[in-house]
Every structure is written in structure tokens, then in C-alpha cells.
Amino acid sequence: MAAIAWIGLGHMGAPMAGHLVAAGHEVRGVDPVPEARAAAAEQGVQVVDTIAEAVDGADAVFTSLPRNEHVREVYGGDAGIWATTPAAALLLDTSTVDVATSRFCHETSAARGFAFVDAPISGGIAGAAAGSLTFMLGGEADAVRRAVPLVEPMAGHVFELGGPTMGIAAKLANNLMLFVSLVGLAEGSQLAEQLGLDAATFFEVASVSSGESWPLRTWYPVPGVVTTSPANRNFDATFSTVLAEKDLSFALAAGDGAGLHLPGAHLALDQFERLIDEGFGGKDCSLIVKYASADGSLPWFDPEAPPVG
């Protein structure tokens, strides 16, 4: 079994690290947020105070961080991963970043003698808790082969996608499809409501028809239909709008660089930006359903209510 360092013990990182503990690995973790540290400790992670303590003697180092700047700082800072980690350790970043940041991590890791794998994930908080995430691995072939058995305890599916940045390329393309599908779900669910269809019955119809999709199964934006839907909890976030806006912005930047025309993605991004402008950036991205309603409001959403639970 391996000695593993885990940097970033948030809603995704803590349960993921916990699955590695359950698989028999020794896991030391770091996070600045007390609640995150406590949650990881409950999962059996040895919580320490610094990156240097976490990576001491590590065979592998995972990062699970919110944004580009956090990844760059954690890897490149004076007390960061490259400065403190044994050169033999495999580095794996599960964060969703832009292609340029992933390329920076690959190139700088190689220059400093490290093997690095971009290892973004799909499946959300529920998938992290269940150990059923999809891992998308990009990197040099030997590094990716080393990564596969390490990620398997957290995964339902593991894909080896090719060279450096191919994992993040798959993640950004996948999330673009997710968010464009979410716009269709929002509009279709509201049309069904206004035409008088029972929401649960229409969900059953769409689930076995051409409207079927991951957001329909997971985020159907009417309460009482899907147990995992944020609509049941006043749209408290499972995938926050600020993170959706970030991921889709990265995908569109990659599309712009390739000279593509992506009008559906731009529409979804516009709706996420509107939610953020209205102060709902911390709410679930599926709250864009309110823009499909007749007056921009929903009877099951109270903008003044505190978070549930």
C-alpha cells in the first residue's frame, strides 16, 4: 500500500481521500478550512498543517483545488509541492483547470524531475461519496499506468486518454455538454409544468425517451421528483454556479482557441453569469431553471431562505 498526500479536503477531496484510506493506503491531508479538516479526519485521513508534512515520504500526491491560481500556488509556491515532495512521487491533479494551467503543471513537473498526470473527475459530490467517479487521465504513458491503481478505489470508471492535458480536455468538453443539456432540461421542465403535466410522471416519460440526460436523472429542477435534486433543498449547491461558470469559461476559452462556434455554451454561460450578478453564485447551477419561468421566479425557491441543514 502507498503513502499518499492529499492537498484540498473539500466536498470532493475528503470523501475521495477517505476511499483511499478504506483501500488500505496511508493518507495525510492538508486544508486551511477547519470544517474540511474535521470531515477528512472522520474519514480516517491524517490531517496535518503543511504541504511539507503531507508529502514527506509520499509515493503519490493528489490535489483537489478550486481554481487555476490555487493549483499554480500549491505546486509552485516556496513551500509547495515541487519544493517539498520526493522526486519519485507521482503527482495527480483532480482539479478542473484550464488547459494552460494543466500544461504548465505537466511541463514544470517534467523540468523538475516529477511525473505528473492530469486526472480530472466527473460525478459530483454524490459520486465522490459513493466511490463511483469517472476519472479522465492524461500524461505520459508510464505515469498514467502508475495512476490507474491509485484512482481505482475512488472510481466507477477510469479512462486513459493519451498524453499531457488530454484528461482536462475530456473534462472540459464533457462539462460543456452537461451545461448545454442543463439549459434544455430547465426549459423542458418548465414547459411541462405550464402545460399541466405532473412533474413526476413527465420525468418518467423523459427518462425513457429522447429527453433523457445526466442532469435530468440527477438535477430535475422541480422538488419531489429526484432525491438528489437541489430543488428539494432550495437549490443549495451540489455544483455551485460559480464553479459551473468557471468550468464553462475554461471550455469556451479552449473552443475560442480552436476557432469553434459554440452558441449553446455561450447561452449557458450567460445564464450562470446572470445568477452570479443576482447574488446566487453559491446556489446550485440548476437554479437557471428560473430563467425559463414566465416571470423569473419559482414557487419552490426562496431567495431569502438560509441554507438547508
Side-chain angles (χ1 to χ4, degrees):
M1 292 299 155
I4 296 173
W6 196 287
I7 318 301
L9 299 167
H11 294 303
M12 300 293 291
M16 291 166 70
H19 288 300
L20 293 177
V21 173
H25 298 296
E26 176 191 354
V27 183
R28 294 190 299 274
V30 175
D31 197 286
V33 178
E35 293 81 3
R37 294 165 61 88
E42 291 177 0
Q43 300 272 350
V45 177
Q46 301 173 37
V47 179
V48 296
D49 293 326
T50 66
I51 291 173
E53 291 175 87
V55 303
D56 183 28
D59 300 303
V61 180
F62 283 86
T63 45
S64 177
L65 301 164
R67 304 190 69 88
N68 290 339
E69 57 267 29
H70 303 119
V71 171
R72 289 175 180 262
E73 176 59 26
V74 162
Y75 277 91
D78 291 341
I81 290 170
W82 288 323
T84 59
T85 301
L90 178 66
L91 310 181
L92 306 96
D93 184 34
T94 69
S95 316
T96 300
V97 297
D98 63 13
V99 174
T101 295
S102 184
R103 185 176 296 112
F104 163 76
C105 289
H106 276 284
E107 292 177 350
T108 310
S109 292
R112 298 189 179 210
F114 292 98
F116 177 86
V117 174
D118 54 293
I121 51 179
S122 183
I125 294 171
S132 61
L133 295 168
T134 296
F135 274 80
M136 297 162 251
L137 306 180
E140 299 299 335
D142 288 346
V144 170
R145 277 195 290 269
R146 290 171 61 192
V148 170
L150 291 171
V151 305
E152 283 179 335
M154 303 174 280
H157 304 279
V158 180
F159 292 96
E160 302 175 42
L161 290 163
T165 76
M166 290 298 98
I168 201 65
K171 175 62 185 291
L172 295 179
N174 177 78
N175 276 22
L176 184 149
M177 295 168 70
L178 164 66
F179 297 133
V180 174
S181 297
L182 179 59
V183 174
L185 170 62
E187 296 182 1
S189 67
Q190 280 296 290
L191 180 61
E193 285 281 305
Q194 293 306 310
L195 294 179
L197 287 163
D198 175 74
T201 303
F202 175 69
F203 170 81
E204 293 180 6
V205 171
S207 295
V208 295
S209 302
S210 53
E212 198 277 336
S213 68
W214 189 93
L216 179 131
R217 297 192 307 271
T218 311
W219 290 342
Y220 195 84
V222 177
V225 177
V226 176
T227 58
T228 54
S229 173
N232 299 321
R233 299 174 300 280
N234 203 43
F235 292 93
D236 286 351
T238 61
F239 197 129
S240 74
T241 298
V242 290
L243 289 180
E245 186 274 339
K246 178 204 76 168
D247 289 6
L248 192 50
S249 294
F250 293 164
L252 281 167
D256 289 344
L260 301 179
H261 302 286
L262 305 171
H266 281 284
L267 173 62
L269 181 63
D270 175 70
Q271 296 196 2
F272 295 146
E273 290 172 343
R274 287 171 65 189
L275 282 181
I276 293 169
D277 289 344
E278 292 179 32
F280 299 130
K283 286 292 186 180
D284 196 83
C285 61
S286 60
L287 183 55
I288 64 167
V289 67
K290 79 187 196 75
Y291 297 128
S293 70
D295 62 359
S297 68
L298 300 167
W300 53 89
F301 173 58
D302 180 356
E304 304 300 326
V308 177

